[in-house]
Amino acid sequence: MRTTAFISQSALAHNLALVRRLCPHSKIVAILKNNAYGHQFECISPLIERADFLALSHLSDCAQLRAITERPILLLAGVYNARELQQASALNCHIVVHSMMQIGLIIHTKTPLNIWLKLDTGMHRLGFLAAEYRTCLAEISKNPLLKIICTMSHFGCADTPKHPLNDLQLTQFIQRTEGQNSPRSMANSAAILTQSSALFEFVRPGIMLYGISPFGKSDPNLKAVMTLTAPIIAIKTLAAGDSVGYGAIWTATQKTTIALVNIGYGDGYPRHAKNGTPVLINGVLCPLIGRVSMDSICVDISKINLENNLKNNVKINDRAILWGDEKLPVETVARWSDTLAYELITGLSARIRFAKSA
Ligand SMILES: *Cc1c(COP(=O)(O)O)cnc(C)c1O
């Protein structure tokens, strides 16, 4: 009865199909960084089999993914020394090139290399600024073994569709790639959902493939892929005045039935989840009470007994759902914890068991 994350295969297929419908003229680079946003490479075969490209940020993840698929892999942060270049090339990865330092590493390559050039169009994270980019193109043209597959850039504010930086970045990108005949790529999930003019030849969806909205509120067109569950390991009834957990931060004001659920911050459940954060137990949303411990949380289940007029309706070993049900999207838990769904799904610990579900 371990704490388990179920990964829905049909939801993965559904979300990928939605991207195809939204971007009928683009190839899909499925972003699988951080072990598929915490969903585990072994559990996401519909993405691995059906996307056009798979993208990761760390070379160490590439070896793990390459062991299970022959499909093209793009290394988003590129390589940083000759050994990494050799490894990436041995794993048959395409590499992003975003700096003159990386140009220096690859320029004398004696084996063919597929490269994706990254432009900084205003986010000011990775990418060539305008002046550098001209030098970079001149250098690359000297070695015919360097093949530019795509020119890409990344939005800084796509999750705020009206933010003025979006248009500025898009204009920059179009201007700087004008007259170039290689394909282009700009859109992450938020842009795929809101900026049809930013789709180009390749799109790069991440979070939406896992059924999570980049906008912080669940999207009915997406299907949650991960359902995080944990067993109930104790049930007890408190009297008015009894407090719960470390620091005794919650006190019963009336007779209260509580359930102890076997998940805590040591598993990746957010310690900052506030009192009141919903937990789904036997179909009913019940509030978290007291502090989140390392291995457990406490939930007020009085409501279940009241609503159903049943005693002992909840039993030890029943499974609580922490997130991933229609009634309890991970976006909701993220809001109650002052964080993003991205952080919750990538923060699960090695103690969680992963299992595929339909
Ligand atoms: C993470 C990432 C994406 C995907 O972003 P989402 O918001 O998860 O869709 C796309 N492109 C790059 C370069 C990324 O690093």
Side-chain angles (χ1 to χ4, degrees), residues 29-287:
V29 182
I31 306 288
L32 307 187
K33 61 192 182 202
N34 223 299
N35 212 343
Y37 285 51
H39 291 61
Q40 315 292 309
F41 296 145
E42 290 72 22
C43 296
I44 55 143
S45 8
L47 294 186
I48 294 178
E49 284 157 17
R50 295 178 208 179
D52 301 298
F53 260 89
L54 311 173
L56 299 171
S57 35
H58 288 282
L59 190 57
S60 54
D61 290 344
C62 291
Q64 200 195 335
L65 184 60
R66 184 51 86 219
I68 56 177
T69 182
E70 294 289 302
R71 298 188 70 78
I73 298 178
L74 171 63
L75 183 53
L76 288 169
V79 291
Y80 295 87
N81 57 49
R83 206 172 120 253
E84 287 186 4
L85 174 61
Q86 192 276 326
Q87 284 171 346
S89 165
L91 291 167
N92 197 16
C93 292
H94 289 213
I95 54 175
V96 166
V97 175
H98 64 75
S99 68
M100 290 312 290
M101 181 283 250
Q102 291 181 322
I103 293 283
L105 274 177
I106 63 168
I107 195 65
H108 300 297
T109 184
K110 293 186 177 60
T111 51
L113 263 188
N114 291 316
I115 59 176
W116 293 49
L117 292 179
K118 186 157 191 183
L119 304 187
D120 179 356
T121 53
M123 185 184 188
H124 299 138
R125 220 171 47 169
L126 301 182
F128 293 102
L129 292 164
E132 275 178 338
Y133 182 51
R134 282 185 290 274
T135 321
C136 141
L137 286 179
E139 286 292 306
I140 287 171
S141 66
K142 293 178 191 161
N143 186 341
L145 292 173
L146 291 173
K147 185 162 178 222
I148 302 174
I149 303 297
C150 181
T151 306
M152 62 188 277
S153 189
H154 194 51
F155 283 115
C157 302
D159 58 350
T160 311
K162 293 208 174 74
H163 198 289
L165 191 59
N166 294 324
D167 278 347
L168 287 175
Q169 284 196 263
L170 190 57
T171 309
Q172 262 284 317
F173 187 63
I174 291 168
Q175 278 173 2
R176 288 172 58 186
T177 53
E178 197 130 62
Q180 208 179 280
N181 54 13
S182 64
R184 290 171 292 178
S185 175
M186 185 91 196
N188 56 2
S189 302
I192 290 169
L193 291 165
T194 56
Q195 318 231 13
S196 53
S197 54
L199 299 182
F200 302 108
E201 289 80 9
F202 286 99
V203 290
R204 305 192 308 270
I207 197 83
M208 70 185 292
L209 294 174
Y210 308 97
I212 298 167
S213 164
F215 304 114
K217 191 173 168 298
S218 66
D219 177 338
N221 296 318
L222 298 170
K223 284 195 182 158
V225 171
M226 179 194 290
T227 303
L228 181 63
T229 71
I232 290 172
I233 52 171
I235 296 171
K236 59 184 59 164
T237 302
L238 306 182
D242 290 348
S243 63
V244 163
Y246 287 120
I249 63 165
W250 186 91
T251 303
T253 53
Q254 57 189 24
K255 191 174 157 198
T256 304
T257 310
I258 64 167
L260 228 81
V261 179
N262 200 6
I263 192 166
Y265 61 81
D267 302 283
Y269 189 84
R271 203 184 85 87
H272 296 291
K274 294 188 194 63
N275 275 224
T277 303
V279 175
L280 189 64
I281 296 183
N282 294 12
V284 181
L285 291 172
C286 300

